[in-house]
Structures are given as C-alpha cells and as structure tokens.
Amino acid sequence: MSKGTLYDATKCIGCRACQVACKQWNELPAEKTTNSGTCENPPRMTAYTFTKINFTELEYNGKFQWVFNKQQCMHCQEPGCAEACIVGALEKTEAGPVTYDDGKCIGCRYCMVACPFGIPNFEWDKPLPWIRKCTFCADRQGAGLRPACVTTCPTGALKFGERDELIAEAQGRIAEHPDKYVNHIYGAQEVGGTSWLYLSPVPFEEIGFTTLPSVPVTINAERAMAAVPPVLVGVAAAMAGIYWLVQRQQKIGQKAGEEEKQKEKVK
Amino acid sequence: MRQLRQSLPIGTFILGCLVILGLIPMVLRYINGLGAISNLSDGRPWGFWISFDLYCGVALAAGGFTLAGIVYIFGREKYHSVARPAILTAFLGYLLVIFALLVDLGQPWYIWHAIIYWNVHSPLFEVAICVMTYTAVLALEFSPAVFERLSELNVPVIRRFNWRIPLRVIRAIQIPLVIAGIALSTLHQSSLGTMLLMMPQSLHPLWYTPVLPLLFLLSAISVGPAMVIFESTLSNRAFGHELAIDVLSGLARAIPYILGLYLLLKLVDLLVAGELGLIFTAYPINLLWWAEIIIGVVTPIILLSRPAIRQNRRGVFWGSVLVIFGLVLNRFNVSMLALGMRPGFTYFPHWMEVAISVALVADALLVIWLSYRFLHIAEHEEAVAE
C-alpha cells in the first residue's frame, strides 16, 4: 500500500503555514523576494522552496472566486524523473515518496526536463550543485509521522493517508457536495496516477494545472528502450553477414581473375 | 620545419585565443556555480551545450561509423582515403561531447557513477554507455595512425619499442572493432531521440513521435557522408591536397536516397498521427519545421540527385552544407526551440555558454591541424612526405 495526500482547495485558506513548515523541517534558507502584486510569495518554487501556494482570482459560474492550490512534487506512481535518472538517484519507494539520493546524482538535470509537472529544481548558485525537490517527508514517514505540511495545516485542507482510501474519500466529498466541487480528482489518473490528489471548486486548468493524459510519460521511452538489446544484436549480426558476403564475393572474383591469368599463361 | 612555420600563423593563433577565452567561464563556473556563466534556469535546465555539443556533436560525428562501414564492411576501397579523417573527426567529436558534459554536469567529478549505478531504464544511461564505449572504439580505430608514425620516428626512447606489435594487434581486431562501432552508433544516434520521448508534453507535436529514435538514426546516416565531404573539401583548402571528384560524388550520391527515406517517414508519421495539418496551422513554430525540411532535406535531394551537380566540387560541397545545416537546425528544434519551457521563463544562450562550446571546437580544430601535420591522415600526404 502506498501513502498519499489529499488537498482540498475548498478548505485551504491560503495561510501558507505549509510553506513555512516545509522550510523549517527541510532546513531551507529564506529567499529574497519583492512584492509581486499578489499575496503569493516567493514567486516560484526553487531549489530552496519545495512547496508553494498559488493564488488565482477568477470568475466561475457567474461568481468571483479566489482559489488556492498547493504546488509540490506530485510523487507520481510512474515517475518520469526516476525513469530518466541516469544513475537511479531518484526512486519511487513502495511507501509512496519519490526519493532522491545525492550520493548517486551527477547533476545532469534530465529529471528536470522529464518531469511533466516541472518540479525538480537545481542549485544554480552553488559550485557543487544538487537537485532539490519535495521529499514527501520520507524521513518523517519512516518514523511514523505525517509530512510537515500536513501536520501544520490548520483547516484540514491537507489529509494524509492511504492513497486508495483518499481517492474513495474524495469521491465521497464530490458525491456529497456536487455543487461545491468539479467532478474531477486531479492526480487519480493523470500520467498514470500521483500520490498527491486534488479537489477543486473550479476546473483545474483554470488554476494552473496542466491537462495531462492518463498514460505515464514514460511509455514511449520504455518501448524504445526495450528494443535496444535486439537492435544491438541484429545490427552486429547484419554487419558481420554483409562483411562475410562481400569478402566471399571478392575472393570468388579474385579466383576467377587468377584462373583467367593462368589460362592466358597456358595459351 | 619550413612547412610548419608557414602554416602556423594567423589561423592557429586565433584558435589558441579562442581556447584561452573559453577557459575563463570554466574557472568562473567552479567558483560561482552554473548560474553565473549561463542563462540556464529551472525552466530551461538544458540549453546551448546540450543542443550544440551533445545533439549536434554526436550527429555530426556520424561520418565515422558511416565511412568505416562503407570501407571495411561493404568493401568499397575507393573511399579508403577519407575513412581515416572521418574517424579522426568522429573521435574528436565524441571527446568534445565528453568535455562539454564536464562543464554542463552539476557534479562532473561523479561522472563515473554512470558506470557503477546502472539505471537500465534511462535513455540517458544508454547514451552514456554508448559514448564511453564508442569513444574507446574510435580511439582504437584511429590508433594505427599514431602507431605508424611512432614506428617511423628515430627518437631515442621511442625507437626502442617495436610499434609494429600494437599495430598488428589493432589490424587483427579491426573488423570486429568496426562492427562494434556501427552497432554502438546505431544505438547511440537513436538513443538521443529516445531521450526526447520522455517529454511528450513539452516537445511540440510536429517533432514528437514514437519513431523519433529512427528519425535520429536516419538523419545521422545522411549527414555522415555530407560531413565527410564538408571536412575533406575544407582540409583540401587548408593542407593543399586534392581528393578525386569521383570519391566526393560517390559519397554525395547516397545522400538523396537516405534523405528521401527520412522525409517519407517524417510525413507518413505525421499523417498517421493525424497531425499533418500542423505544418500549416502551427504558426509560428511551423516555420522552423519548413526551414528544416526545405533547406536541409528537399533542396539537397534535388541538388545531389543531379549528376551535373555531383560532378562539380562546389555543387557537392554546398549540397553537403545544406544537409549539415538542416540537421543542426533539426537538433536545435527538438532539443531547444520546439521544446517547451516551464511557464514564466525565457532563454537565450549566455555569451559564456557559447564561448565554452567555441573553445571546444577550436580545441578539436587544433588537434586536427596537428594530426594532419604529424600523422598520415590523408594518403595523398603520405606520398608528399616520402
């Protein structure tokens, strides 16, 4: 069984206590920012900010809405980053978190390019840089604790538990209040499913979620990689065969030439 | 010696300056981090180095395995004289890729982790293993040129060793080496396409297709002979020996067939995916697609399939330049221009990013210059030397 977290945007009040808790637990430094004209801060996630609340003002169903959504690593069921990682530094654990091992990482940044949510970030300002992203507090989970952000959330917008049970609960909440939610659990199907699940009062694309298909991003690469061993053997065999044929033909040609020469000599 | 002094001047001096200029950002990178010398960001983690050094560098090194195949496997002795320069440039191309990675990687001193921590599912792992093994194969394929020269030298310590022994060893394993080189190149050229298969959302549908690895392989095979024509024409100019037009036009003859197959596959793939309409509707990104196809594929097909142009040195040369341009544009398209960024980011290469790549190319040119001077690269030179 793997763990997950359900984020209910209708319960979030945008207090950003989760951002603070995350920084504290992961001992991340503060970042110097400027007023961007919204209540959002910092402007975007970086190697030093693993989670961030986005604020969206919009009109939906003829009503003004101020909707929040929490961004962090989605901890995919079939993560592109882990498939991409050249040394296997990123791994999907059975418990749910996609963990990162800086003892293996070489800093190639393929994970950053391969992530469909644009999550892993890089320490661009350091001479010895690593990749950084939300850990789903794998360390806390290992000790039987809930993730720092979930623990600190004052309104119950974040709920930590078994992923399957959370999906059932989310379906229940939608069924109970179909007027309050759009009928979509983001993360239940997207890119093969994610450990983090979302409920929203407005369509997800309106608040900055990418519309993603339910097939994992890894599917085409997996197929191509499966073809590698047969292609290797096939090409080598074909080349060896062609070489043998060409050599044989040349030998036959030479022999014919020699025979003609001998015939000429006899004459 | 007189010969050396004559050709040393301005060209090599400029190359030397470019190399030194490229060292400055390399030092800065290890003090202030990658952000200080590049415009790379979380939104665009792969930039000019990956597009130019890795994607173009590897593809333009395709002359090595195509020529080795034509000469040693298909037994076309006619092209023997261009095989060695082709292998040399391929070898240098791969070294360029490795050196560029040492700048691009966050933790280059851990690059050997790729050898001990295997993730066999990662396309990049395939790339890494191919780069390592194929560079070794190329070094061995090229080594006879060095051993030959060493065996001729009458210098104290060197003449005591019998250089004919390693030479004989390499000659004995030459055919297996060439076959290994072709198999590794097939995997490696296509694996750069496989790498992009991980980005179905960010790569534009005009370029994203499950057959990307095959398209990469085909375009690399087509650019192999073009690159050999390009290089040998330039080295003719620089080192003053002339290659038979027969060889050049023979190489050029193969290009339209491969490019034709490539174009057909590209169009059929878009048709099957039901995205052929995008070539008209996806403005402005479709302009890049059209530029790539018209300049780099259709025009060279028309030009190089005409015997009159193939018999003309300039015609063959410019036809090849178009093929190379088309390939470079294609690799930049798939790995940068048509590859989406995270929202809110922009990217244009920093001058120091370009300076590092230019320095690496200058390095390669200097090594080519030295090789032509001191080794038997083109067989015409051999005659002159003797």
Side-chain angles (χ1 to χ4, degrees):
Chain A
M1 291 299 272
S2 86
K3 297 287 184 188
T5 301
L6 176 63
Y7 170 85
D8 190 333
T10 63
K11 295 189 177 184
C12 179
I13 54 169
C15 70
R16 290 161 298 175
C18 50
Q19 288 183 215
V20 177
C22 178
K23 288 237 175 193
Q24 282 181 334
W25 179 256
N26 292 297
E27 298 181 330
L28 297 168
E31 287 182 88
K32 197 162 176 124
T33 58
T34 50
N35 190 340
S36 59
T38 76
C39 293
E40 283 183 32
N41 197 47
R44 54 170 69 110
M45 290 197 289
T46 66
Y48 311 109
T49 304
F50 293 169
T51 185
K52 190 204 149 189
I53 301 283
N54 281 348
F55 292 59
T56 316
E57 293 160 41
L58 75 159
E59 212 179 280
Y60 181 67
N61 273 351
K63 233 173 79 185
F64 172 77
Q65 307 254 9
W66 198 18
V67 189
F68 314 112
N69 78 284
K70 182 177 178 300
Q71 269 191 305
Q72 76 295 307
C73 173
M74 300 289 284
H75 299 276
C76 304
Q77 301 290 84
E78 289 174 64
C81 60
E83 175 100 355
C85 182
I86 177 170
V87 288
L90 288 151
E91 249 179 314
K92 175 73 178 177
T93 57
E94 274 195 22
V98 175
T99 57
Y100 168 72
D101 180 356
D102 60 14
K104 290 181 177 174
C105 179
I106 61 172
C108 73
R109 306 190 293 283
Y110 192 17
C111 53
M112 300 174 71
V113 192
C115 174
F117 300 100
I119 292 300
N121 287 330
F122 190 69
E123 298 175 329
W124 295 102
D125 53 340
K126 288 193 180 169
L128 315 179
W130 301 109
I131 293 287
R132 288 285 176 246
K133 74 167 191 70
C134 158
T135 64
F136 203 178
C137 286
D139 45 357
R140 291 174 60 95
Q141 284 196 41
L145 296 169
R146 293 178 299 161
C149 53
V150 177
T151 312
T152 205
C153 182
T155 62
L158 288 170
K159 184 169 183 185
F160 177 72
E162 291 296 332
R163 184 174 180 270
D164 303 344
E165 290 168 17
L166 289 175
I167 291 177
E169 179 168 344
Q171 283 165 342
R173 285 191 204 174
I174 294 174
E176 217 174 303
H177 298 283
D179 52 320
K180 229 170 110 182
Y181 298 102
V182 290
N183 189 13
H184 182 182
I185 307 168
Y186 195 92
Q189 306 289 333
E190 275 76 9
V191 291
T194 59
S195 293
W196 277 68
L197 304 159
Y198 287 79
L199 284 175
S200 165
V202 298
F204 283 97
E205 57 272 20
E206 302 272 349
I207 50 172
F209 282 82
T210 332
T211 309
L212 293 168
S214 58
V215 287
V217 287
T218 55
I219 191 148
N220 283 324
E222 255 167 28
R223 281 185 195 139
M225 290 303 289
V228 167
V231 167
L232 180 66
V233 175
V235 171
M239 286 301 138
I242 292 170
Y243 175 72
W244 182 76
L245 275 176
V246 170
Q247 291 298 309
R248 209 176 100 94
Q249 259 180 342
Q250 281 181 349
K251 257 185 204 162
I252 293 171
Q254 270 176 1
K255 259 189 192 169
E258 278 168 21
E259 274 169 19
E260 267 175 35
K261 268 184 194 169
Q262 275 182 346
K263 271 181 194 170
E264 275 172 21
K265 269 186 189 174
V266 170
K267 276 177 189 174
Chain B
M1 203 59 212
R2 185 151 38 94
Q3 209 183 5
L4 194 84
R5 214 176 301 137
Q6 275 171 355
S7 51
L8 187 66
I10 199 78
T12 43
F13 177 73
I14 293 172
L15 289 178
C17 291
L18 289 174
V19 170
I20 293 164
L21 191 67
L23 289 175
I24 300 167
M26 285 193 206
V27 174
L28 286 178
R29 179 250 172 272
Y30 290 110
I31 301 170
N32 295 329
L34 273 166
I37 62 155
S38 71
N39 285 340
L40 297 174
S41 61
D42 289 328
R44 172 61 86 204
W46 280 2
F48 187 77
W49 292 322
I50 296 293
S51 297
F52 179 76
D53 300 347
L54 180 67
Y55 273 87
C56 296
V58 167
L60 296 180
F65 84 96
T66 44
L67 258 287
I70 292 171
V71 173
Y72 296 106
I73 302 299
F74 288 85
R76 301 289 166 88
E77 282 299 317
K78 185 168 96 179
Y79 304 106
H80 197 268
S81 60
V82 282
R84 189 172 275 180
I87 289 168
L88 171 65
T89 36
F91 178 51
L92 292 175
Y94 272 76
L95 286 185
L96 190 146
V97 170
I98 293 172
F99 281 115
L101 282 181
L102 291 182
V103 185
D104 184 72
L105 286 182
Q107 306 277 345
W109 32 84
Y110 289 139
I111 195 167
W112 50 273
H113 278 184
I115 307 171
I116 57 165
Y117 299 120
W118 288 24
N119 179 12
V120 292
H121 303 290
S122 168
L124 193 58
F125 174 72
E126 188 192 353
V127 172
I129 294 297
C130 288
V131 169
M132 279 187 275
T133 45
Y134 187 51
T135 309
V137 166
L138 282 169
L140 288 175
E141 281 182 352
F142 183 70
S143 64
V146 180
F147 292 140
E148 274 168 25
R149 191 75 188 110
L150 284 174
S151 68
E152 293 166 11
L153 284 181
N154 195 9
V155 178
V157 180
I158 292 173
R159 75 175 161 218
R160 300 190 112 187
F161 189 78
N162 186 0
W163 295 103
R164 294 274 157 203
I165 296 169
L167 200 53
R168 237 173 279 149
V169 173
I170 299 288
R171 291 253 162 88
I173 59 166
Q174 188 168 41
I175 296 303
L177 269 184
V178 170
I179 292 176
I182 293 172
L184 287 172
S185 291
T186 306
L187 289 185
H188 186 208
Q189 298 290 353
S190 57
S191 65
L192 289 179
T194 314
M195 263 165 74
L196 296 166
L197 291 183
M198 295 289 292
M199 307 154 200
Q201 267 76 46
S202 35
L203 184 58
H204 194 275
L206 265 180
W207 285 273
Y208 187 90
T209 150
V211 299
L212 212 50
L214 191 55
L215 289 174
F216 263 63
L217 179 64
L218 277 176
S219 53
I221 294 175
S222 73
V223 87
M227 200 57 194
V228 172
I229 293 170
F230 177 74
E231 289 158 14
S232 51
T233 310
L234 290 185
S235 68
N236 281 357
R237 281 258 178 91
F239 305 107
H241 52 75
E242 199 144 79
L243 209 58
I245 183 74
D246 180 37
V247 173
L248 292 179
S249 64
L251 288 173
R253 232 186 96 189
I255 296 174
Y257 293 103
I258 311 163
L259 279 183
L261 192 62
Y262 172 71
L263 181 63
L264 189 73
L265 188 62
K266 238 179 138 113
L267 292 177
V268 168
D269 173 69
L270 281 174
L271 194 68
V272 170
E275 283 159 354
L276 197 59
L278 282 178
I279 63 177
F280 302 111
T281 55
Y283 182 83
I285 199 95
N286 66 346
L287 296 180
L288 288 170
W289 190 90
W290 280 108
E292 189 186 312
I293 296 299
I294 292 189
I295 303 173
V297 181
V298 175
T299 321
I301 289 179
I302 296 170
L303 285 178
L304 295 176
S305 52
R306 295 179 58 177
I309 289 177
R310 281 208 308 273
Q311 291 305 321
N312 178 330
R313 275 173 200 281
R314 292 178 63 135
V316 176
F317 176 74
W318 287 110
S320 304
V321 168
L322 289 180
V323 177
I324 294 167
F325 174 84
L327 178 116
V328 169
L329 183 58
N330 172 260
R331 296 305 193 258
F332 266 88
N333 281 344
V334 291
S335 65
M336 185 192 290
L337 302 172
L339 192 66
M341 268 179 278
R342 294 184 191 174
F345 286 90
T346 54
Y347 173 74
F348 190 84
H350 195 282
W351 71 265
M352 287 203 261
E353 282 176 69
V354 182
I356 286 180
S357 294
V358 168
L360 288 170
V361 174
D363 271 322
L365 289 176
L366 280 175
V367 175
I368 290 178
W369 177 79
L370 286 172
S371 311
Y372 270 88
R373 276 286 145 250
F374 296 110
L375 304 172
H376 303 314
I377 301 297
E379 264 149 9
H380 298 263
E381 277 227 319
E382 221 167 333
V384 174
E386 281 158 14

